[in-house]
């Protein structure tokens, strides 16, 4: 089974802090994704990566950056956290010739 | 551009009753379609997917969905609801070239005893 893990299930940060969310997958998947999930809005794509050191903006990249130095790890960075970034963050991965994505358990981030 | 509309943000059914969750899609290319389920405080789990093979797709936990091109629909059904089916369900669309998945806003399914 594919396993996607996220570094924290729950996180509380203060406005202005730099926040790192880590995602690791164990199935050698080329593609990795970061989403945020908000009630009534479904999942919205923040950034994705087709391969190591590659990244592309999704639909809502403002206020976020990413890093992919190793194939199995994809990090989401909030340079200066704001209250409107309070949300559930979901990481996903997929193998490049398949359509479905596999999700981690999510990180619920609260910014005070 | 691709999009997904889920009709009904909340559906409530009795245990043992038919479950029907509605999804309509828009796509300028032949779509790949998915249903994902999210149990409380968990990530998303793939229920089933349509990839242009059979139009009736069977998934896990007794769920199935039918692709109807003429109606641009991909509704999710289960003949008999179980208490453990209570969760949020997301319909999604993708095309293989771009690899990105567009999600609907979700439907929360509640099961009444």
């Amino acid at each position: 089974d594919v396993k996607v893990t996220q570094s924290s299930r729950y996180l509380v940060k203060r406005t202005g802090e730099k926040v790192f969310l880590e995602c690791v997958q164990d199935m050698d998947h080329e593609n990795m994704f970061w989403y945020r999930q908000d009630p009534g809005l479904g999942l919205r794509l923040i950034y994705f990566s087709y391969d190591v050191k590659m990244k592309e903006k999704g639909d809502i990249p403002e206020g976020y950056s990413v890093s992919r130095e190793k194939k199995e790890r994809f990090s989401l960075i909030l340079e200066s956290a704001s209250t409107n970034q309070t949300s559930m963050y979901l990481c996903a991965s997929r193998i490049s010739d398949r359509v479905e994505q596999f999700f981690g358990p999510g990180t619920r981030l609260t910014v005070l | 551009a691709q999009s997904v509309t889920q009709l009904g943000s909340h559906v409530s059914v009795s245990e043992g009753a038919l479950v029907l969750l509605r999804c309509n899609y828009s796509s300028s290319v032949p779509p790949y379609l998915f249903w994902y389920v999210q149990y409380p405080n968990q990530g998303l789990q793939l229920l089933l997917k349509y990839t242009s093979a059979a139009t009736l797709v069977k998934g896990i936990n007794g769920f199935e969905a039918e692709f109807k091109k003429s109606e641009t629909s991909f509704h999710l059904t289960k003949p008999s609801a179980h208490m453990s089916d209570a969760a949020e369900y997301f319909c999604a669309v993708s095309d293989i070239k771009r690899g990105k998945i567009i999600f609907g806003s979700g439907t929360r399914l509640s099961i009444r005893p």
Side-chain angles (χ1 to χ4, degrees), chain A residues 3 5 13 16 23 27-29 37 39 49 60 65 70 78 85 88 91 97 111:
Chain A
K3 193 165 179 68
T5 57
K13 296 292 182 181
C23 175
M27 284 301 292
D28 204 36
H29 286 179
Q37 180 183 9
S49 169
I60 52 164
S65 62
K70 294 184 177 181
L78 287 65
Q85 292 179 309
M88 169 73 92
C91 174
D97 61 349
V111 183

Side-chain angles (χ1 to χ4, degrees), chain B residues 28-76:
Chain B
S28 57
V29 297
Y32 294 89
L33 294 159
F34 313 85
W35 277 98
Y36 281 86
V37 61
Q38 185 180 34
Y39 298 103
N41 298 315
Q42 294 188 26
L44 273 68
Q45 178 183 1
L46 182 66
L47 262 183
L48 50 81
K49 63 181 179 184
Y50 166 78
T51 57
S52 75
T55 56
L56 183 62
V57 181
K58 294 188 184 299
I60 61 173
N61 301 336
F63 284 93
E64 63 182 36
E66 186 171 8
F67 173 70
K68 291 188 176 181
K69 185 178 180 180
S70 61
E71 298 176 10
T72 61
S73 68
F74 190 57
H75 300 332
L76 182 71

Side-chain angles (χ1 to χ4, degrees), chain A residues 57-84:
Chain A
K57 293 180 180 179
D59 301 316
I60 52 164
E62 297 78 18
Y64 303 95
S65 62
V66 290
S67 172
R68 187 138 181 234
E69 296 297 318
K70 294 184 177 181
K71 193 172 188 179
E72 68 270 18
R73 188 180 298 270
F74 192 35
S75 302
L76 180 69
I77 303 156
L78 287 65
E79 293 289 342
S80 179
S82 64
T83 55
N84 62 12

